[in-house]
């Protein structure tokens, strides 16, 4: 194929002769006016976004947050629970660098550690908490009593690095089924049949409340979302979140909360440590 | 100097081109804010960008504690806003080019390689002969087709690292998460290289050529037109 000549021999010029230059000047003037308008408008738009007010505990300008929320809508629109984070050979797993120590101060005794649970359909087992709402208490043996799963997935940090890690733990989904979260209608929860009736969010916090994440219910129920007590074949260390942490490979690592002390099912979107510092709340991969 | 006005660049292409300019700038700038958070690429034994570069480019900013902090969250916010404009503008451009027939001038053809070589020799002042009068010469065809292909590559690798679980097939197809990140980054370096050469060439081609990208018309001197016809 040959490129056509330009101007082609039968091209009829817009203007020729003495009038051509004058016409060109008119066209240029008109175009420059258009350009100035376009530059002004785009500058105004970008500047307005960049300086839109930063809501309290939001970390980025409001207009960017608005787009992140629209992106979340699009992502949840195409989300499918049967899409998995790819698995790798166990031999490719590496030592994961410890990137966050929030909420991990002090030692913790696994045998006496209690995870508080709130927002269940049936709260009759709730135990009064000192200066706080009553909560159902579960222990690590509860979690270890659920069917264990092992996955080898690529842990993706929001910073950009990634590392293949082997996780072992119970599916959060199985715990949710066992506990029965509250429903919007008030009826008995049916996890698989009437998922839309469940409280739409899950909140998790460290025992001291200094690190906290929020999850959408679909992601919490994903088959690869595990409450982990083993990493790369060894029990979790303190800095990796012992006695139990979350591994959620369909989200960025920021959602993999360590040393879980509280699980709460809720109708309101839970606060999220990194979302308050400007990051996407959804953080779904 | 008598001449005539010839339509060169359609209105749509001029808009796509000029919209892309600030959009791509925002993508590269916010991409740099993101890259800073895990700047893993080296040239020899040196990090690709030294700390002084980040400071000069305001990628990092001095906090109240006197230390320099990056702005990863802000970078992600901008990047994931402008990605839509970049994708839509790019898709419309390709669609328009395909439907209007403008692709005939842009896609490399049989004579392209030979012509591109002539352009390089001409620009290095080794060859004196006048270049064939075309909308885009062989070197331009290669450059512009490459940069559009690169844009498509950025879009694909971008999707692959943005949603590597939902589009796991794409991420695996392109070689995995870190490979996609690598390609995504180096394509950006490619744009920067393209930009430098593009600007230099626009400057050397002169005001008449540049004006055609704004007004759509190029003023061609009668003698030039006659000389090109003589070449046929």
């Amino acid at each position: 194929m040959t490129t056509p000549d330009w101007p082609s021999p039968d091209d009829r010029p817009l203007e020729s002769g003495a009038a051509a230059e004058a016409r060109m000047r008119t066209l240029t003037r008109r175009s420059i006016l258009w350009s100035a308008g376009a530059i002004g408008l785009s500058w105004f738009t970008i500047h307005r976004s960049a300086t839109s007010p930063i809501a309290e505990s939001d970390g980025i300008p409001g207009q960017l947050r608005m787009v992140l929320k629209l992106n979340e809508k699009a992502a949840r629109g195409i989300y499918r629970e049967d899409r998995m984070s790819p698995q790798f050979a166990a031999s490719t797993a590496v030592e994961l660098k410890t990137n966050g120590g929030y909420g991990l101060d002090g030692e913790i005794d696994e045998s006496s550690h209690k995870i508080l649970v709130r927002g269940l359909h049936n709260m009759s087992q709730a135990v009064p908490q000192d200066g706080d709402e009553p909560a159902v208490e579960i222990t690590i043996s509860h979690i270890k009593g659920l069917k264990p799963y092992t996955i080898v997935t690529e842990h993706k940090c929001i910073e950009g690095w990634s590392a293949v890690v082997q996780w072992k733990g119970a599916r959060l989904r199985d715990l949710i089924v066992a506990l029965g979260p509250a429903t919007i209608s008030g009826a008995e929860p049916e996890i698989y049949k009437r998922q839309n009736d469940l409280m739409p969010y899950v909140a998790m916090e460290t025992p001291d409340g200094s690190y906290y994440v929020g999850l959408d219910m679909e992601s919490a129920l994903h088959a690869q979302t595990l409450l982990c007590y083993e990493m790369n074949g060894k029990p979790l260390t303190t800095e990796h979140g012992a006695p139990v942490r979350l591994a959620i490979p369909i989200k960025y690592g920021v959602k993999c909360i360590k040393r879980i002390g509280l699980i709460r099912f809720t109708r309101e979107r839970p606060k999220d440590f990194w979302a308050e510092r400007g990051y996407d709340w959804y953080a779904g991969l | 100097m008598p001449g005539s006005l010839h339509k060169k660049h359609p209105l749509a292409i001029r808009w796509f081109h000029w919209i892309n300019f600030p959009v791509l700038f925002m993508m590269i700038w916010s991409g740099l804010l993101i890259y800073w958070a895990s700047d893993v690429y080296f040239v020899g034994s040196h990090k690709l960008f030294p700390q002084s570069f980040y400071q000069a480019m305001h990628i990092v900013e001095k906090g109240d504690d006197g230390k320099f902090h990056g702005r990863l969250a802000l970078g992600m916010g901008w990047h994931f806003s402008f990605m839509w404009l970049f994708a839509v503008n790019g898709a419309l451009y390709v669609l328009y080019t395909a439907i209007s027939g403008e692709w005939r001038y842009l896609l490399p053809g049989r004579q392209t390689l030979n012509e591109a070589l002539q352009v390089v020799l001409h620009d290095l002042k080794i060859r004196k002969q006048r270049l064939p009068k075309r909308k885009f010469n062989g070197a331009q065809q290669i450059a512009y087709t490459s940069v559009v292909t690169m844009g498509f590559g950025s879009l694909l690798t971008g999707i692959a690292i943005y949603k590597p679980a939902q589009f796991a097939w794409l991420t695996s197809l392109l070689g995995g998460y870190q490979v996609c990140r690598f390609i995504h980054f180096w394509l950006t370096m490619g744009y920067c290289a393209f930009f430098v050469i593009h600007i230099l060439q626009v400057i050397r081609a002169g005001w008449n050529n540049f004006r055609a990208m704004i007004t759509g018309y190029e003023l061609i001197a009668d003698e030039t037109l006659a000389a090109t016809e003589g070449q046929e």
Side-chain angles (χ1 to χ4, degrees), chain B residues 66-87:
Chain B
K67 288 185 194 149
F68 282 100
H69 297 273
R71 295 181 289 164
L72 170 62
L74 188 72
M76 294 180 96
W78 282 111
H79 210 68
F80 300 148
S81 301
F82 271 77
M83 64 178 186
W84 295 107
L85 301 177
F86 178 74

Side-chain angles (χ1 to χ4, degrees), chain A residues 3 11 15 71 83 162 284, chain B residues 5-6 84 141 163 166 178:
Chain A
T3 308
D11 179 41
E15 199 78 73
N71 289 352
R83 295 207 188 108
S162 63
Chain B
L5 277 183
H6 293 266
W84 295 107
Q141 287 175 332
K163 297 289 171 202
Q166 294 303 310
Q178 287 302 334

Side-chain angles (χ1 to χ4, degrees), chain B residues 10 13 16 19 35 47 64 72 106 119 136 150 169 187:
Chain B
I13 285 192
F16 295 138
I19 287 172
Y35 175 69
K47 275 200 167 178
D64 298 332
L72 170 62
L106 280 156
V119 172
F136 305 113
M150 284 159 67
W169 59 272
L187 282 174

Side-chain angles (χ1 to χ4, degrees), chain A residues 1-9 11-21 23-25 27-29 31-32 34-35 38 42 46-47 49-50 59-61 63-64 67-68 71-72 74-75 78-81 83-86 154 156-162 249-250 252 277-280 282-285, chain B residues 1-8 14-15 22 26 34-38 40 71-74 76-78 80-84 103-112 133-136 141 161-169 172 176-178 181 207-208 211-212 214-220 222 225 229 232:
Chain A
M1 177 221 111
T2 351
T3 308
D5 281 337
W6 180 86
S8 77
D11 179 41
R12 293 194 37 209
L14 179 72
E15 199 78 73
S16 50
E21 293 214 32
R23 186 72 185 266
M24 188 79 236
R25 272 196 295 277
L27 287 172
T28 308
R29 204 177 310 121
S31 298
I32 286 175
W34 268 101
S35 310
S42 44
I46 294 175
H47 186 261
S49 298
I60 47 167
Q63 292 200 354
L64 294 183
V67 179
L68 290 183
N71 289 352
E72 173 181 340
I78 59 154
Y79 172 87
R80 278 187 23 204
E81 58 174 18
R83 295 207 188 108
M84 298 290 149
S85 188
E154 193 174 18
K156 297 175 186 77
C157 181
I158 203 157
E159 292 169 356
W161 54 269
S162 63
I250 59 161
Y252 278 120
R277 286 154 182 79
Y279 291 86
D280 179 25
Y282 184 66
L285 296 172
Chain B
M1 180 188 68
S4 50
L5 277 183
H6 293 266
K7 180 84 181 182
K8 192 175 188 187
R14 283 177 280 139
W15 273 106
M26 289 301 286
I34 296 171
Y35 175 69
W36 163 86
S38 176
V40 287
R71 295 181 289 164
L72 170 62
L74 188 72
M76 294 180 96
W78 282 111
F80 300 148
S81 301
F82 271 77
M83 64 178 186
W84 295 107
W103 61 271
R104 282 175 231 276
Y105 299 103
L106 280 156
L107 277 191
R110 227 178 298 141
Q111 82 296 347
T112 297
K133 185 69 193 168
R134 287 224 172 79
K135 195 180 281 196
F136 305 113
Q141 287 175 332
I161 48 184
Y162 183 53
K163 297 289 171 202
Q166 294 303 310
F167 299 112
W169 59 272
S172 314
Y177 187 71
Q178 287 302 334
R181 186 175 179 233
W207 170 238
N208 194 31
R211 196 168 48 180
I214 314 176
T215 63
Y217 287 91
E218 187 163 320
L219 186 63
I220 305 175
D222 290 342
L225 215 52
E229 267 153 24
E232 297 297 314

Side-chain angles (χ1 to χ4, degrees), chain A residues 76 117-118 172 175-176 179 181 198-205 212-221 225 227 246 248 255 257 260 262-272 281:
Chain A
R76 290 178 79 165
V117 184
R118 296 203 174 97
L172 176 57
L175 184 73
I176 292 175
L179 294 171
L198 303 175
M199 288 287 127
Y201 297 108
V202 184
M204 292 193 188
E205 290 180 18
Y212 37 90
V213 300
L215 299 172
D216 51 289
M217 186 54 96
E218 307 97 271
S219 301
L221 291 171
T225 302
L227 292 161
L246 194 68
I248 179 161
K255 294 285 188 189
I257 181 172
I260 299 170
L262 172 79
I263 301 175
R264 191 165 53 88
F265 301 97
T266 168
R267 195 183 292 225
E268 284 84 42
R269 198 174 172 90
K271 61 177 183 171
D272 185 275
W281 184 92

